[in-house]
Amino acid sequence: MLNTDIPEGHTLSVLVLSGTIEVNGQEIAREAQMVLLGRDGGGVIIEANNDAKLLVPTGPPIEGPVIAHGPFVMNTAEEINQAMRDF
């Protein structure tokens, strides 16, 4: 079981790589599913119903535009093109 607090304004997502989990005693997620929590902050309880593997990224939201192409994520198309040239 994971019991943690998330700061207000942060985004928290839970990606289930394998197994099954229950989030805050309400939502069930299985392999290859994702749960996205609101930015209200507060406590989060994640309980595994079996041998689960999770990816749990959290942080403040990205302010500004986001552009993705292939493995590259930048703020503008020009930055994507430069990243591709640099690669």
Side-chain angles (χ1 to χ4, degrees):
M1 177 174 10
L2 171 66
N3 185 350
T4 189
D5 288 323
I6 305 302
E8 185 176 339
H10 278 217
T11 300
L12 178 118
S13 57
V14 181
L15 175 61
V16 182
L17 301 175
S18 65
T20 302
I21 62 167
E22 184 177 72
V23 180
N24 290 334
Q26 299 173 359
E27 188 165 354
I28 302 254
R30 293 175 174 78
E31 185 172 332
Q33 292 183 324
M34 182 169 69
V35 177
L36 182 63
L37 285 88
R39 296 181 181 164
D40 300 335
V44 174
I45 299 172
I46 301 170
E47 188 170 351
N49 295 335
N50 49 28
D51 192 20
K53 291 183 184 176
L54 312 174
L55 179 63
V56 186
T58 184
I62 298 172
E63 300 296 335
V66 176
I67 297 176
H69 182 80
F72 304 105
V73 179
M74 299 290 190
N75 295 108
T76 66
E78 293 79 22
E79 289 176 340
I80 290 282
N81 291 333
Q82 184 62 50
M84 290 170 57
R85 285 191 296 273
D86 291 346
F87 179 72

